[in-house]
Amino acid sequence: MDIERKQIVQTFLGIVNHISDKDYQKRAWIKGEEADFDETCCVFFGIGDSIIEKYKDFEITEDQYQLLKKFRDELEKFSDNNDLPQLFIDTPEWTKITLMAKKVLEVFNYQN
């Protein structure tokens, strides 16, 4: 994989890392210190959809692809119905999303 594609995947996984990290979310989304939830989702779907669509070009395995696709679909369903982190951050539904994000990071051997 060329350096540019590798960097795109790393940037994308950084966003997934933010989705997995409630401490980051409380600081960034609720206290407003960094990107908000909407911006995080926009970047996630903007980069992620092209990676998923052309996953073989990004040297993503079938297992990585399947998990990433499932995570993407769950996050889309969630974000379509929720936009205020203050109201959802401690819900079981959001915890499920953060745990799925952690699995994605594991399957990609992500180190931040």
Side-chain angles (χ1 to χ4, degrees):
M1 180 175 7
D2 63 39
I3 290 178
E4 185 178 338
R5 284 195 182 123
K6 214 173 247 184
Q7 186 57 50
I8 291 169
V9 171
Q10 280 304 111
T11 299
F12 176 69
L13 291 174
I15 298 297
V16 175
N17 187 50
H18 290 167
I19 295 168
S20 77
D21 183 349
K22 284 192 182 184
D23 289 335
Y24 168 85
Q25 295 158 17
K26 287 175 183 175
R27 187 176 69 252
W29 301 347
I30 294 175
K31 291 183 181 173
E33 293 178 11
E34 294 184 47
D36 64 18
F37 177 69
D38 287 339
E39 186 178 337
T40 299
C41 287
C42 284
V43 174
F44 174 86
F45 293 115
I47 298 173
D49 287 355
S50 17
I51 290 173
I52 290 168
E53 188 176 302
K54 297 180 177 165
Y55 73 96
K56 290 182 180 176
D57 292 346
F58 288 92
E59 297 180 11
I60 291 173
T61 68
E62 194 63 35
D63 287 344
Q64 290 170 325
Y65 166 76
Q66 292 298 332
L67 187 59
L68 188 55
K69 176 98 175 68
K70 183 178 178 186
F71 173 64
R72 184 239 175 265
D73 293 347
E74 289 296 318
L75 181 60
E76 181 179 44
K77 278 191 260 181
F78 184 89
S79 65
D80 282 350
N81 297 310
N82 298 276
D83 58 0
L84 291 173
Q86 301 86 328
L87 300 179
F88 69 69
I89 200 161
D90 291 319
T91 65
E93 296 81 11
W94 183 247
T95 298
K96 177 184 171 192
I97 297 289
T98 63
L99 293 174
M100 287 182 79
K102 286 177 183 168
K103 286 181 183 169
V104 169
L105 296 173
E106 285 173 21
V107 80
F108 279 89
N109 298 312
Y110 177 77
Q111 307 290 320
N112 72 359

